């Protein structure tokens, strides 16, 4: 008997999950468009990286190396870890989806701070796992509350360090204490998408922490500091039990040929790339200083962005920026995240922010 339903059956959870909202691009009345809404690098790939991509484009009729062996080898050398401790994915977001597929089962839970990276709840719910959101404390992770939220159903804890969108960090002493108290059955993911921008010496490099902890893994990306957001390339460093599971959840050939070539070339040109990172860090400090001088309360940030806690004024502030062609990332009722870009683009943002009424 043919069903009378007019549409195929789909998962009910999809009705309650909004699509991921990427940073918008707007155009002001004078034609100016400054996108500070996506935490992108203001710098394009270096000439050597563009050349590697162009050369790789000649082989687009061939499937990429499914294991990306050359890139894995280069990453392992760069990080000082065994090759089987490295796994790849289509950006850190793609890697997180792989991780959730590896740990998620009905009735299990994932613990993370909130607000944090806005893709977390979307990906967790899509994996059929329950989110346990632990409110931020003074714009940062409340690790004691996160420990209290862990139970027998917890499969994974996410620590976004630096935290997106606030830019705040978890320092080494408190993070080590936290990791030592997390049950062995819980996988802790240190999401370090902005690691290259960290200058606080008390913020640990996750690679140094995972080595003697089988339940800890580190998530990073080429999208931010390396300026490769368009090619979608991320990686995970963890023990073989974790990286092996993540490889099984990777869509075949997901790490495309251009991404592999760009990743290797970027690692080879790392010294030049990190000079650009230093320029962004210097601009970050300049922008935050100008905001503080103008009366804003801006938490210390170790990312390539600043956070303004605006509350109910958030959308008004975003609209004021949009009027002059500046796009920021508003979170209604909470605040706005603003990416650090070129000096000229940052000045355009500051021209709005420093005269916006009721700064606090």
């Amino acid at each position: 008997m043919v069903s009378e339903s007019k549409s195929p059956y789909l998962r009910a959870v999809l009705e309650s999950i909004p699509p991921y909202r990427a940073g918008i691009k707007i155009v002001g009345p004078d034609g100016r468009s400054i996108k500070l809404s996506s935490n992108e690098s203001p710098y394009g790939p270096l000439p050597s990286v563009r050349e590697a991509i162009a050369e790789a484009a000649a082989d687009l009729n061939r499937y990429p190396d499914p294991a990306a062996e050359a890139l894995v080898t280069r990453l392992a050398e760069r990080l000082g870890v065994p090759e089987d401790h490295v796994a790849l994915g289509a950006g850190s977001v793609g890697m997180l989806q792989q991780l959730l597929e590896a740990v998620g089962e009905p009735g299990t839970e994932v613990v993370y701070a909130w607000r944090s990276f806005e893709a977390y709840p979307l990906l967790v719910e899509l994996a059929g796992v329950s989110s346990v959101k632990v409110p931020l404390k003074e714009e940062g992770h409340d690790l004691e509350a996160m420990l209290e939220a862990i139970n027998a159903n917890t499969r994974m804890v996410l620590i976004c360090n630096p935290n997106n969108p606030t830019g705040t960090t978890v320092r080494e002493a408190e993070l080590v204490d936290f990791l030592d108290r997390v049950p062995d059955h819980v996988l802790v993911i240190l999401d370090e998408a902005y690691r290259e921008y960290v200058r606080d010496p008390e913020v640990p490099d996750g690679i140094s922490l995972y080595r003697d902890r089988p339940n800890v893994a580190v998530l990073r990306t080429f999208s931010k500091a390396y300026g490769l957001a368009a090619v979608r390339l991320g990686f995970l460093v963890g023990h073989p039990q974790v990286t092996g599971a993540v490889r099984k959840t990777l869509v075949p050939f997901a790490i495309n040929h251009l991404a592999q070539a760009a990743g290797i070339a970027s690692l080879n040109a790392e010294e030049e790339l990190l000079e650009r990172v230093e320029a962004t860090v210097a601009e970050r400090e300049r922008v935050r200083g100008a905001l503080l001088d103008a009366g804003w309360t801006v938490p210390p940030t170790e990312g390539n962005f600043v956070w303004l806690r605006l509350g109910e004024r958030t959308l008004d502030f975003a609209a004021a920026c949009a009027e002059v062609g500046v796009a920021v990332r508003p979170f209604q009722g909470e605040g706005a995240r603003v990416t650090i870009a070129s000096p000229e683009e940052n000045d355009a943002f500051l021209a709005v922010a420093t005269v916006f009424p009721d700064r606090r």
Side-chain angles (χ1 to χ4, degrees):
M1 180 177 178
V2 179
S3 170
E4 295 182 359
S5 173
K6 295 183 180 180
S7 62
Y9 291 119
L10 301 174
R11 294 175 62 197
V13 70
L14 295 176
E15 297 180 6
S16 62
I17 297 179
Y20 177 76
R21 184 172 57 89
I24 63 171
K25 180 179 180 180
I26 61 174
V27 179
D30 62 353
R32 182 171 64 176
S33 180
I34 298 175
K35 188 183 178 190
L36 308 182
S37 55
S38 291
N39 287 350
E40 297 159 332
S41 170
Y43 306 106
L46 288 166
S48 60
V49 178
R50 292 199 300 269
E51 182 178 347
I53 293 173
E55 290 179 0
D59 298 322
L60 292 184
N61 59 312
R62 305 295 182 185
Y63 285 109
D65 173 7
E69 292 184 5
L71 177 55
V72 168
T73 297
R74 186 68 183 84
L75 267 172
E77 291 174 351
R78 165 64 181 81
L79 299 170
V81 302
E83 290 186 18
D84 62 352
H85 284 218
V86 178
L88 301 175
S92 57
V93 175
M95 294 238 60
L96 179 56
Q97 186 172 37
Q98 292 170 240
L99 282 161
L100 288 165
E101 291 178 359
V103 304
E105 294 176 321
T108 59
E109 299 175 349
V110 174
V111 175
Y112 52 90
W114 195 251
R115 173 168 295 275
S116 192
F117 182 33
E118 63 186 288
Y120 287 168
L122 307 181
L123 295 176
V124 170
E125 297 300 321
L126 282 173
V129 185
S130 297
S131 285
V132 178
K133 300 178 181 179
V134 178
L136 296 175
K137 182 179 180 180
E138 298 178 354
E139 306 291 16
H141 286 64
D142 186 343
L143 294 185
E144 286 298 322
M146 294 180 75
L147 276 171
E148 292 175 4
I150 296 173
N151 58 45
N153 295 323
T154 307
R155 292 294 178 270
M156 189 160 72
V157 175
L158 297 168
I159 304 290
C160 190
N161 200 31
N163 186 50
N164 175 14
T166 61
T168 53
T169 55
V170 178
R171 291 182 165 182
E172 184 164 13
E174 58 181 331
L175 183 55
V176 168
D177 178 68
F178 174 83
L179 295 176
D180 288 345
R181 296 159 65 191
V182 172
D184 292 341
H185 77 273
V186 175
L187 177 62
V188 180
I189 300 299
L190 305 179
D191 186 347
E192 297 185 342
Y194 301 94
R195 172 64 204 175
E196 291 83 2
Y197 299 102
V198 173
R199 293 298 177 269
D200 183 345
E202 294 187 36
V203 178
D205 181 333
I207 304 298
S208 68
L209 298 180
Y210 97 96
R211 296 179 188 273
D212 59 351
R213 294 178 171 86
N215 67 326
V216 175
V218 181
L219 189 60
R220 292 191 183 170
T221 183
F222 280 84
S223 295
K224 310 300 182 185
Y226 289 90
L228 295 179
V231 302
R232 313 309 304 132
L233 181 61
F235 62 94
L236 181 82
V237 178
H239 290 264
Q241 183 179 3
V242 177
T243 54
V246 167
R247 290 190 198 98
K248 292 180 180 179
T249 60
L250 177 67
V251 174
F253 305 113
I255 314 304
N256 69 71
H257 186 51
L258 300 185
Q260 293 182 36
I264 294 170
S266 292
L267 290 170
N268 292 339
E270 192 170 41
E271 185 174 339
E272 294 177 80
L273 283 167
L274 293 183
E275 289 177 3
R276 296 177 169 189
V277 172
E278 287 297 336
T280 297
V281 169
E283 275 297 289
R284 176 185 74 193
E285 299 310 310
R286 182 181 75 87
V287 169
R288 181 172 181 263
L291 291 169
L292 292 173
D293 290 344
W296 288 96
T297 299
V298 188
T301 173
E302 295 291 331
N304 66 334
F305 52 89
V306 294
W307 169 252
L308 301 178
R309 175 66 69 175
L310 289 148
E312 296 305 316
R313 301 167 297 141
T314 298
L315 296 186
D316 290 339
F317 179 76
C321 292
E323 286 180 2
V324 295
V326 176
V328 300
R329 189 60 168 268
F331 298 91
Q332 186 171 0
E334 298 179 66
R337 188 195 70 199
V338 185
T339 303
I340 301 300
S342 69
E344 296 76 18
E345 292 171 325
N346 296 331
D347 285 342
F349 158 70
L350 288 171
V352 178
T354 53
V355 299
F356 187 78
D358 193 22
R359 298 183 294 280
R360 61 176 98 157

